[in-house]
């Protein structure tokens, strides 16, 4: 069965500093990979996705993620964090054979210090 | 497009009462998903539909939970009778096309069972 691990439950970062959120997955083939963001009291919004091709993926709000097959990772990065980036971030993996189902990681809550 | 619409946004009820959560997916989307989010268990997939047909309900916690999709533009998740441990945020999401795992989430319904 596929699984997703986000090792960091909480991360605190200063405004303007860089951010990296870790995501590791377990799956036998190349999965479809996603990062979602959830602001307080809101639903999940897609930041970016990887299906195939270039392993460095650009998303909205200045985020990017890199797929590394050898490490089974799909880490999310942002060079300079804004206070509005404080939210919870979820990594997810899916596969066609699962009928568009997604398996989500436990999430990483990001706190931004002024 | 208005996005995925859920109602009500908040529901407070007493133990033993019936609760019905509603979802309108994005027009044209053929997959619909119901999730439950709690602090303890994170984001859990309860059930999903394809073309109004339930495909996988293995995440439905017990017989007190039921979901229907009478047509392509409406789905309900019912809990009868409700219990305090059902308190959570329930999300509906939709997607279009097999192999496209990108899911669009609604704002969620926050359910409190007293």
């Amino acid at each position: 069965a596929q699984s997703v691990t986000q090792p960091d439950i909480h991360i605190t970062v200063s405004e303007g500093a860089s951010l990296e959120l870790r995501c590791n997955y377990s799956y036998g083939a190349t999965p479809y990979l996603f990062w979602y963001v959830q602001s307080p009291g809101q639903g999940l919004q897609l930041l970016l996705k990887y299906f195939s091709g270039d392993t460095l993926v650009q998303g909205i709000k200045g985020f990017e993620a890199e797929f590394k097959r050898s490490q089974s990772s799909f880490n999310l990065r942002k060079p300079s964090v804004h206070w509005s980036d404080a939210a919870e971030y979820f990594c997810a993996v899916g596969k066609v054979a699962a009928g568009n189902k997604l398996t989500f990681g436990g999430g990483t809550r990001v706190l931004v210090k002024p | 497009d208005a996005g995925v619409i859920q109602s009500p946004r908040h529901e407070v009820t007493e133990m033993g009462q019936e609760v019905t959560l509603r979802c309108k997916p994005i027009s044209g989307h053929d997959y619909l998903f119901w999730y439950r989010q709690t602090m303890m268990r994170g984001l859990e997939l309860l059930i999903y539909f394809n073309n109004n047909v339930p495909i996988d309900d293995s995440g439905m916690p017990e017989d007190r939970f039921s979901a229907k999709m009478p047509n392509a533009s409406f789905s309900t998740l019912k809990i009868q009778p409700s219990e305090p441990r059902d308190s959570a945020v329930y999300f509906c999401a939709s997607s279009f096309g097999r192999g496209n795992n990108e899911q669009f989430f609604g704002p969620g319904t926050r359910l409190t069972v007293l």
Side-chain angles (χ1 to χ4, degrees):
Chain A
Q2 57 199 43
S3 65
V4 181
T5 302
Q6 294 181 244
D8 304 304
I9 298 176
H10 293 98
I11 284 181
T12 299
V13 61
S14 296
E15 192 167 14
S18 63
L19 174 69
E20 182 167 9
L21 305 182
R22 296 183 290 165
C23 173
N24 294 97
Y25 65 90
S26 172
Y27 179 56
T30 301
Y32 296 165
L33 295 161
F34 302 79
W35 275 100
Y36 283 84
V37 60
Q38 183 181 26
S39 297
Q42 303 295 314
L44 279 70
Q45 179 186 19
L46 181 69
L47 282 176
L48 49 79
K49 59 187 177 184
Y50 173 78
F51 284 5
S52 64
D54 192 346
T55 56
L56 185 62
V57 181
Q58 301 298 319
I60 63 171
K61 304 186 180 187
F63 284 92
E64 66 177 25
E66 186 171 12
F67 170 59
K68 292 186 177 180
R69 184 190 304 274
S70 61
Q71 299 177 18
S72 296
S73 69
F74 188 58
N75 294 350
L76 181 71
R77 298 192 294 255
K78 185 168 184 177
S80 177
V81 170
H82 187 261
W83 63 266
S84 60
D85 293 322
E88 188 153 21
Y89 294 79
F90 293 91
C91 182
V93 61
K95 57 179 180 177
V96 175
N100 289 16
K101 280 173 60 175
L102 290 177
T103 300
F104 284 86
T108 299
R109 187 171 296 278
V110 173
L111 177 64
V112 180
K113 296 191 300 183
Chain B
D1 199 313
V4 176
I5 299 172
Q6 291 186 249
S7 65
R9 292 294 310 276
H10 302 274
E11 176 80 33
V12 180
T13 190
E14 293 190 346
M15 183 174 64
Q17 296 299 305
E18 177 180 296
V19 175
T20 299
L21 311 181
R22 297 172 177 81
C23 175
K24 176 179 170 55
I26 292 173
S27 177
H29 282 194
D30 54 351
Y31 284 84
L32 184 139
F33 305 81
W34 281 102
Y35 292 89
R36 177 172 68 176
Q37 185 179 40
T38 61
M39 290 292 293
M40 293 298 296
R41 301 176 67 90
L43 197 61
E44 305 173 274
L45 176 66
L46 300 177
I47 185 172
Y48 80 95
F49 296 82
N50 177 218
N51 291 324
N52 314 336
V53 176
I55 302 300
D56 184 350
D57 65 354
S58 60
M60 296 286 262
E62 48 198 277
D63 291 345
R64 298 185 297 107
F65 286 69
S66 62
K68 294 182 179 179
M69 192 164 186
N71 56 63
S73 60
F74 183 65
S75 177
T76 60
L77 177 68
K78 186 176 294 186
I79 308 172
Q80 167 62 19
S82 58
E83 296 181 4
R85 61 193 168 117
D86 301 330
S87 297
V89 180
Y90 291 81
F91 288 103
C92 176
S94 68
S95 68
F96 171 71
R98 179 173 173 77
N100 178 11
N101 302 87
E102 179 177 351
Q103 295 181 15
F104 295 82
F105 282 77
T109 295
R110 181 174 295 278
L111 174 64
T112 302
V113 183
L114 303 175

